[in-house]
Amino acid sequence: MRHCDKEVKVTHHGKEHTTDKRDKHGDRHCSAKGKHRSKYIATLFVDPDDYQELLVDNGNGIAHGIPPVPMIKSSLSKVSSEAASKKPQFPSPIKMYALSSERPKNKPSKEHENFREIETITPLSKKFHLDVDERFGVLGEGDLASDFFETLSKSVTENINLMMGTSNSTDSPSGGGESEISQLCNNGMTVVSWKHSRIPILARALGCGKGEGCPKRYKGHDFDT
């Protein structure tokens, strides 16, 4: 997902204009609207048990290996369309990444920190008591992807070893095996909060290009894709 809203209106010499939300040190933060959006994002994720109940209530099932996304009534007080009157529900994440706040510049005097990507998922991390991995910065999309796939590989290996151990203790290894294997992919939600202009680069590093439905360009005003 992209970072939160950043623009605030200020008046300078009698004229109103928009600028980034900054503190007295020049560091960037979410605007009031952005903080509200961050809190709303946290409501889109629920505990695994609640997620499973929603699947049953909505009659959802896995299609083409893609986990279903149940919809519930939105908590927003004002909605502009029927589509906006509902919001998706995702299972709680097990891993969270956010772009590092460091923004190195050629001139030390222009260096600052940008906390927007971190602040965007802070309410979500607090909700599920998860740490946010902030090790990767701008131009670090490849390193993040490598870390993700390495972690995924270890998780898959551990689960397969566990399944094989369970299977070896029984006479019939076929009972429910396929279902258990599919759960390796369906139960692990990873959330990444990133700079919007570099999301297509990150998506490609993770194996998602235009052919897989990931946008080639992420527009600045787009907060929903």
Side-chain angles (χ1 to χ4, degrees):
M1 68 179 70
R2 65 160 295 162
H3 60 69
C4 59
D5 307 61
K6 63 181 181 178
E7 293 183 343
V8 293
K9 292 184 178 181
V10 297
T11 301
H12 185 65
H13 296 309
K15 294 183 178 181
E16 186 179 74
H17 62 95
T18 59
T19 185
D20 289 359
K21 175 65 176 178
R22 308 180 186 186
D23 59 24
K24 62 181 181 181
H25 304 294
D27 296 333
R28 275 61 163 175
H29 297 274
C30 293
S31 64
K33 182 179 180 180
K35 291 179 179 179
H36 183 72
R37 188 186 297 274
S38 299
K39 292 178 180 178
Y40 180 74
I41 287 173
T43 70
L44 304 181
F45 296 82
V46 295
D47 291 321
D49 290 343
D50 294 333
Y51 176 73
Q52 292 300 326
E53 288 184 11
L54 287 170
L55 294 184
V56 174
D57 293 342
N58 285 267
N60 295 115
I62 297 177
H64 306 294
I66 302 174
V69 181
M71 305 291 289
I72 65 171
K73 185 177 180 180
S74 175
S75 58
L76 294 176
S77 57
K78 296 181 180 180
V79 293
S80 58
S81 66
E82 183 178 351
S85 66
K86 296 182 179 181
K87 65 179 181 180
Q89 295 289 270
F90 303 98
S92 57
I94 59 174
K95 176 72 176 178
M96 300 181 70
Y97 293 97
L99 183 66
S100 170
S101 63
E102 297 181 0
R103 297 293 192 275
K105 300 291 184 181
N106 293 330
K107 294 183 178 180
S109 60
K110 291 188 177 183
E111 286 189 359
H112 65 273
E113 291 192 86
N114 190 329
F115 297 96
R116 294 186 193 116
E117 287 80 12
I118 298 170
E119 292 174 349
T120 297
I121 56 175
T122 293
L124 178 60
S125 69
K126 289 182 176 179
K127 180 178 180 178
F128 294 106
H129 309 289
L130 292 172
D131 293 328
V132 178
D133 191 336
E134 309 167 21
R135 293 175 295 157
F136 306 102
V138 177
L139 306 181
E141 291 82 8
D143 292 334
L144 186 153
S146 295
D147 182 79
F148 169 76
F149 286 121
E150 181 180 356
T151 303
L152 179 62
S153 178
K154 290 179 180 178
S155 176
V156 170
T157 299
E158 290 174 0
N159 279 279
I160 290 178
N161 288 338
L162 179 61
M163 290 163 52
M164 293 299 292
T166 302
S167 175
N168 290 336
S169 65
T170 62
D171 294 329
S172 177
S174 60
E178 183 176 355
S179 176
E180 290 175 348
I181 291 175
S182 70
Q183 289 176 7
L184 296 177
C185 296
N186 297 333
N187 286 346
M189 174 69 70
T190 297
V191 172
V192 183
S193 178
W194 212 248
K195 182 177 178 64
H196 75 275
S197 62
R198 299 195 64 83
I199 286 180
I201 299 173
L202 176 61
R204 288 196 293 273
L206 292 170
C208 186
K210 184 178 180 181
E212 291 74 34
C214 289
K216 189 175 182 180
R217 180 172 177 268
Y218 210 110
K219 297 180 180 179
H221 63 270
D222 185 353
F223 289 86
D224 300 316
T225 300

